[in-house]
Amino acid sequence: MDKLHRNERIGALIKILSDNPNKIFTFGYFTELFNAAKSTISEDIAIVKDTMEKFGFGIVETISGAAGGVKYIPLISKEKAKAFVRDLCTRLVNPDRIIPGGYIYMTDIIYSPEIVNIIGKILASQFVGLDADYVLTVETKGIPISLVTAMNLNIPLVIVRRDSKVTEGPTVSINYITGSSKRIQTMSLSRRAIRENTRSIFIDDFMKAGGTANGIIELMREFRNEVVGIGVLIETLKPDNKLVKNYISLLTLDEVDEHKGVIGIEPSALFV
Amino acid sequence: MDKLHRNERIGALIKILSDNPNKIFTFGYFTELFNAAKSTISEDIAIVKDTMEKFGFGIVETISGAAGGVKYIPLISKEKAKAFVRDLCTRLVNPDRIIPGGYIYMTDIIYSPEIVNIIGKILASQFVGLDADYVLTVETKGIPISLVTAMNLNIPLVIVRRDSKVTEGPTVSINYITGSSKRIQTMSLSRRAIRENTRSIFIDDFMKAGGTANGIIELMREFRNEVVGIGVLIETLKPDNKLVKNYISLLTLDEVDEHKGVIGIEPSALFV
């Protein structure tokens, strides 16, 4: 490639780093791509670093040593996260969302690319230091936010199934009892999906008593995998003695009053 | 915000446009954000445009008029797409992937954020001109690639369920017969999920005879929604008289020979 202007290098650097969060690029990669000296790239990266921080896009980290290079960690500031969660509440309290039985219609929100993008970034920001190997979820509604969390952490997504599939080879299945309605449920995962002695983060859209999260921890024991973090979009206020500890949620749902048409939902403690 | 250097503005412009594909930003948005004159922003955008094209990141389009502004269309070049599809083949032909029954283990690939990111961009590149309102998929394996396609097109994702859920209100369900194994299957979708008189693109991981795609077209008729595009990651070579026409696929699977340990998979015609 011909010599580039600094503007163009900065632009391309930001695009490449931003498209590949938490991935380490060597300086050599950029000296070759841009046909530029290492000192030039170092100066470029200093500008990229400042720009990312100035606009609250996240952190650019330079790692020294043989395996060194540069990586971009997308972090959402506490303020941006809080404003987003407040805005989400405003959308969710709309009484038109009430579904007979006391449920809230929210698939339009949890499948919306724009919203899912931010939820995934907020969740990834919470778990970025945990050195996890996988993001886990159980089908179906939590998949979009889990995928974006995995994208931002740059680790594989693993989707636990409700029934075992012949197309995925030998599977490990467990039965577990849901925490709230006390029904027996099954979850199952291909033996190949997880390496032993690894760590994972469980992400889901909703947590009531925590039966599913508890089931996931049990299932992961069979894979010698430790669940080191749990994040959900919405938890319910009751029961307050959840089956799992150490989880985070963005929103807390109190109750849905069908007759009065009132949805009681608020930012969770972390985002007030 | 204080006056910024051009470098910083270019960097921030690329980050914002890149994080919001196919979304129109007004010039006013940037003049305010950067505290800069409109002429300055115009010059910045010209540089952004050149940089994006020079590196094959896609197209930056300026739209004139009252509803005008600038948007970024992430396009993957034919050459990059072909190279990626070839590389995917190389990974998939590994005989360790063969699962008893003649299946291929590939969830590690279709859930990998890095790979899904590119598959979604390739699919979006194919459908960007169709002016669709939704990306549709049916649970479960096609969800990650569908979400990334939807993100790149900046339109909502809609996930059709295998069974109807009480939590999503009134649903429309259809029974359909799978094209290959002739089994009766159900698919169902909340009445609220789709507005009438809209267009959609159906994305899935796998197509054999096209029974599922055909079922989706039938289901969408109930919503007065027209399926204007169909894209799958892998289609099978046989049967060649699929139940739907006008679909694209990235890969074509011929056969899996369990005994010889051979997987016959190749780039589809579009990507040879």
Side-chain angles (χ1 to χ4, degrees), chain B residues 2 7 14 23 26 67 74 76 84 94 103-104 107 153 158 173 179 203 228-229 236 239 261:
Chain B
D2 288 343
N7 288 331
I14 287 199
K23 178 171 171 175
T26 61
I76 284 208
F84 171 80
N94 184 342
Y103 299 102
I104 307 174
T107 50
L153 294 173
V158 171
S173 296
I203 301 289
V228 293
T236 53

Side-chain angles (χ1 to χ4, degrees), chain A residues 8 54 96 139-140 192, chain B residues 8 54 96 139-140 192:
Chain A
E8 298 172 305
K54 195 174 277 181
D96 290 347
E139 57 185 348
T140 298
R192 301 186 184 212
Chain B
E8 298 171 306
K54 196 175 277 183
D96 290 348
E139 58 185 346
T140 296
R192 301 186 184 212

Side-chain angles (χ1 to χ4, degrees), chain A residues 238-263:
Chain A
K238 292 167 203 156
D240 60 358
N241 57 336
K242 305 270 193 257
L243 293 170
V244 291
K245 309 291 162 205
N246 298 323
Y247 62 89
I248 66 142
S249 70
L250 271 59
L251 296 159
T252 301
L253 177 66
D254 187 357
E255 58 173 358
V256 180
D257 188 324
E258 277 187 72
H259 302 291
K260 290 187 188 152
V262 175
I263 298 174

Side-chain angles (χ1 to χ4, degrees), chain B residues 124-140:
Chain B
S125 298
Q126 296 294 325
F127 298 122
V128 73
L130 293 184
D131 204 20
D133 302 286
Y134 302 97
V135 169
L136 298 173
T137 192
V138 58
E139 58 185 346
T140 296

Side-chain angles (χ1 to χ4, degrees), chain A residues 1 4 6-8 10-12 14-16 18-20 23 33-34 47 51-52 54-55 57 72 96-100 103-105 107 111 113-114 116-117 121 139-141 143-144 147-148 150-151 154-159 161 166-169 190 192-193, chain B residues 1 4 6-8 10-12 14-16 18-20 23 33-34 47 51-52 54-55 57 72 96-100 103-105 107 111 113-114 116-117 121 139-141 143-144 147-148 150-151 154-159 161 166-169 190 192-193:
Chain A
M1 190 169 271
L4 298 157
R6 168 146 284 159
N7 286 332
E8 298 172 305
I10 301 285
I14 287 197
K15 179 79 173 105
I16 293 167
S18 171
D19 281 355
N20 298 278
K23 177 171 170 174
L33 181 65
F34 298 148
I47 297 170
T51 306
M52 292 285 216
K54 195 174 277 181
F55 284 92
F57 295 142
Y72 164 60
D96 290 347
R97 294 192 168 275
I98 296 177
I99 281 172
Y103 299 101
I104 307 174
Y105 185 77
T107 50
Y111 299 164
E114 232 171 313
V116 160
N117 223 334
K121 281 206 179 88
E139 57 185 348
T140 298
K141 286 197 202 167
I143 298 175
L147 176 66
V148 179
M151 282 177 159
N154 190 31
I155 54 179
L157 171 67
V158 171
I159 302 175
R161 307 295 295 254
V166 66
T167 55
E168 288 175 28
S190 168
R192 301 186 184 212
Chain B
M1 190 169 270
L4 298 158
R6 168 146 283 161
N7 288 331
E8 298 171 306
I10 300 285
I14 287 199
K15 179 79 174 103
I16 292 166
S18 171
D19 281 355
N20 298 280
K23 178 171 171 175
L33 181 66
F34 298 147
I47 297 170
T51 306
M52 292 284 216
K54 196 175 277 183
F55 284 92
F57 295 142
Y72 163 60
D96 290 348
R97 295 193 168 274
I98 297 177
I99 281 173
Y103 299 102
I104 307 174
Y105 184 78
T107 50
Y111 298 165
E114 233 171 312
V116 161
N117 223 333
K121 281 206 178 90
E139 58 185 346
T140 296
K141 286 197 202 166
I143 299 176
L147 176 66
V148 179
M151 281 176 161
N154 190 31
I155 55 178
L157 171 67
V158 171
I159 302 176
R161 307 293 297 252
V166 66
T167 56
E168 289 174 26
S190 168
R192 301 186 184 212

